[in-house]
Amino acid sequence: MREIVTLQLGNLSNYVATHFWNAQESYFTYAEDETSLVDHNIHWRPGIGEDGSETFLPRAVVYDLKGGFGPLRKVNPMYEAAPGQDPALAALWPGKPAVHKQTPLSQNTYQRDLDAGIKPRRLQPSDVRYWSDYSRVYYHPKSLVQLYDFELNSSIMPFERFETGAELFESLDKEDEIVDRDWRPFVEECDQMQGVQVYASLDDAWGGFASSYIERLRDEHPKTTIWVWGVQSPVAGVAREKRRMRLANTALSLNSACAQASMVVPLGVPDARVPASISLDSTSAWHVSALLATAAESASLQSRLRLGGGSSSRPLGLADMAQCLNVSGRQTLANMRMGVGPHAVDCSSSGERPELDLSQIGSLKDGGRLGRSGDGSERAFGRLSSVRRPEGVEDGSMDVTTTDQRPIIGSSIIRNHQTPLLYPLLDSFPSIYNYDLHGRESIPVHTSLASDGSIVHKMKNLRTQVAPSISLEERENLVNGLAELGAAYEDEWSSGSDSGDDDL
């Protein structure tokens, strides 16, 4: 059934993935004469609840630190046993147990309305304390894994260095073999898994945890497509030393993930140059994750569409998408650009690239990003464009999609995909897009994934910036790894100088 199993690692990743799951839930249709364009069996798993009713829950394994889940309960009402009806507990202890419970966090009004079956009002920023505050879906109890070794936002034991995350994975895996314990049950339910989707932070300790986890997944599934969405927190207002640490974490995470994953797409909000049509509070994880989720969900939409489901071209699976971008077999890093609203979709007709560059790899000072576009190396080896256009509005330029024939050696692989399924603006989604939608509850989106020559310069800049802050033991491997990653995006016409590399 072309199943995709999702792995969520870290607090910001869970913010982004929650928007993703809310969007998937909105695609369900309940009338007999309606058929969804999305094949729900790809991301959702059927099951049986405690009361014998059928359930449909995300194929996901969700990790977060102590306190990161907020008021979300591990056992939801679908799997909650009736009082006094727990046979497993009775078999362990025939006496009357003494239960000591910590006072649970209170739900916000939005969640209480959802539980009561009442249409909730649109969320406000003050309502969102945790990612679970705006979640519209239930999770299987086995999906939620809380790591008690560290506490969210702790100042005593901060979870912020790459090495800390890698060490935590090794210690947990040595005790419990967490990949077998947490991951394998979801994979064994699949008939024909098309790939793994990973949401992970790159710039904190979750980058180290994710790198070790992905390495284990690659050992378990050597030929499976592993697609990584690497999210990064905004750095505006962050102290310079902490920025350097985040930059080093990002470099280490990219170096490790790109060696194991099929494709890695870094996602970050630019410090500057955000279009005026987007009202974004960079201090709000709810806002930041909404923007990143719009891009990731739209770019990967074709991997879960039904064949012939209103699209102008044949949908691609995760493996096909990765092959389009990874032309040489070594190009496992891709840039992401996005445009939102009617104007962005109109620009796609003329072949213009989306205006918002979300491929932000590192930053050291306000407004100064590494690897800016416009550096003279815009040649794309592979590009995947996806346009969510209102039904009835056709664009002939988007129909020129490459065929399944073998491409000419040296030529770029360009695939365009168009669908009438717009991005849903739910009551759980912040009002960050300033467009007159005439009462519509969805919005057009244009995304572009590309493996192009700008990555060469991004990797050179990254090496230059992080080399002084990396220990001597790791510096050589990291610098060489980033150099090899950048070299994969040089073509036979490149003649740029590598001056300065020997000084690293």
Side-chain angles (χ1 to χ4, degrees), residues 349-489:
S349 303
S350 59
E352 296 182 37
R353 296 188 306 168
E355 60 180 332
L356 185 59
D357 182 9
L358 296 177
S359 180
Q360 304 296 311
I361 303 177
S363 170
L364 286 181
K365 57 185 177 182
D366 292 337
R369 307 298 300 193
L370 298 178
R372 292 182 180 181
S373 59
D375 51 20
S377 183
E378 297 296 335
R379 178 179 184 270
F381 298 91
R383 178 177 288 119
L384 283 171
S385 293
S386 177
V387 174
R388 309 177 78 148
R389 186 186 303 275
E391 194 168 9
V393 180
E394 297 297 332
D395 175 20
S397 68
M398 293 301 296
D399 291 333
V400 287
T401 304
T402 55
T403 65
D404 294 333
Q405 298 177 356
R406 181 184 295 273
I408 300 174
I409 295 177
S411 63
S412 300
I413 297 179
I414 309 297
R415 285 188 180 269
N416 301 319
H417 184 265
Q418 179 175 303
T419 177
L421 184 61
L422 306 186
Y423 186 81
L425 299 179
L426 307 172
D427 49 31
S428 61
F429 197 87
S431 301
I432 61 174
Y433 301 131
N434 304 323
Y435 294 100
D436 183 8
L437 300 175
H438 305 290
R440 297 181 66 97
E441 297 180 348
S442 54
I443 193 168
V445 179
H446 176 202
T447 62
S448 175
L449 286 170
S451 54
D452 57 49
S454 68
I455 296 177
V456 177
H457 303 278
K458 290 181 179 182
M459 293 300 103
K460 286 182 179 180
N461 287 334
L462 192 58
R463 282 154 41 205
T464 301
Q465 296 293 338
V466 304
S469 58
I470 299 296
S471 64
L472 289 175
E473 296 80 12
E474 295 180 341
R475 185 180 304 173
E476 183 176 359
N477 289 335
L478 177 62
V479 169
N480 291 339
L482 295 178
E484 291 178 6
L485 182 58
Y489 296 86

Side-chain angles (χ1 to χ4, degrees), residues 11 63-70 102 105 130 145-154 159 168 206:
N11 196 251
Y63 289 87
D64 212 329
L65 302 181
K66 180 182 178 182
F69 288 91
Q102 184 178 3
L105 294 172
Y130 307 92
V145 185
Q146 187 166 200
L147 304 182
Y148 294 92
D149 302 70
F150 291 85
E151 189 169 359
L152 184 67
N153 300 325
S154 172
F159 196 63
L168 176 61
W206 284 107

Side-chain angles (χ1 to χ4, degrees), residues 33 122 163 209 243 265 430 478 496:
D33 57 344
R122 182 172 288 275
E163 298 80 5
F209 192 92
R243 290 190 185 194
V265 182
L478 177 62

Side-chain angles (χ1 to χ4, degrees), residues 12-31:
L12 181 58
S13 301
N14 289 330
Y15 268 90
V16 177
T18 299
H19 286 297
F20 171 84
W21 290 116
N22 287 348
Q24 306 317 302
E25 189 266 346
S26 72
Y27 300 145
F28 278 93
T29 54
Y30 301 97

Side-chain angles (χ1 to χ4, degrees), residues 100-288:
H100 300 273
K101 290 186 177 181
Q102 184 178 3
T103 303
L105 294 172
S106 61
Q107 289 184 322
N108 59 10
T109 304
Y110 184 84
Q111 290 295 327
R112 290 197 295 269
D113 288 346
L114 286 178
D115 289 345
I118 303 172
K119 180 177 176 57
R121 64 174 177 83
R122 182 172 288 275
L123 274 169
Q124 302 300 317
S126 59
D127 298 328
V128 180
R129 306 157 299 170
Y130 307 92
W131 55 265
S132 59
D133 284 335
Y134 61 92
S135 175
R136 296 179 57 89
V137 303
Y138 283 130
Y139 294 91
H140 190 279
K142 290 185 178 180
S143 288
L144 307 178
V145 185
Q146 187 166 200
L147 304 182
Y148 294 92
D149 302 70
F150 291 85
E151 189 169 359
L152 184 67
N153 300 325
S154 172
S155 58
I156 300 175
M157 293 179 59
F159 196 63
E160 59 184 11
R161 293 188 177 277
F162 180 92
E163 298 80 5
T164 304
E167 291 170 359
L168 176 61
F169 178 87
E170 294 302 327
S171 63
L172 294 176
D173 194 52
K174 185 179 297 183
E175 294 177 4
D176 298 319
E177 296 186 351
I178 60 176
V179 174
D180 289 340
R181 182 194 67 187
D182 303 333
W183 175 261
R184 189 179 297 278
F186 289 89
V187 175
E188 291 178 344
E189 294 176 341
C190 299
D191 293 331
Q192 188 177 2
M193 184 174 68
Q194 68 163 291
V196 178
Q197 174 180 241
V198 181
Y199 287 94
S201 302
L202 297 178
D203 56 359
D204 57 15
W206 284 107
F209 192 92
S211 297
S212 299
Y213 209 116
I214 293 170
E215 185 176 358
R216 281 292 309 275
L217 291 182
R218 180 54 73 201
D219 291 340
E220 294 282 333
H221 312 283
K223 296 184 178 180
T224 297
T225 300
I226 301 177
W227 191 289
V228 179
W229 302 105
V231 300
Q232 301 166 85
S233 300
V235 295
V238 177
R240 184 176 182 84
E241 286 305 314
K242 182 162 286 190
R243 290 190 185 194
R244 287 191 177 277
M245 179 186 64
R246 288 188 181 182
L247 192 58
N249 291 336
T250 300
L252 291 166
S253 298
L254 287 176
N255 183 48
S256 178
C258 287
Q260 302 293 336
S262 307
M263 187 56 57
V264 179
V265 182
L267 295 175
V269 177
D271 290 345
R273 303 187 306 279
V274 175
S277 56
I278 299 178
S279 300
L280 192 72
D281 180 3
S282 62
T283 64
S284 169
W286 183 43
H287 276 219
V288 170

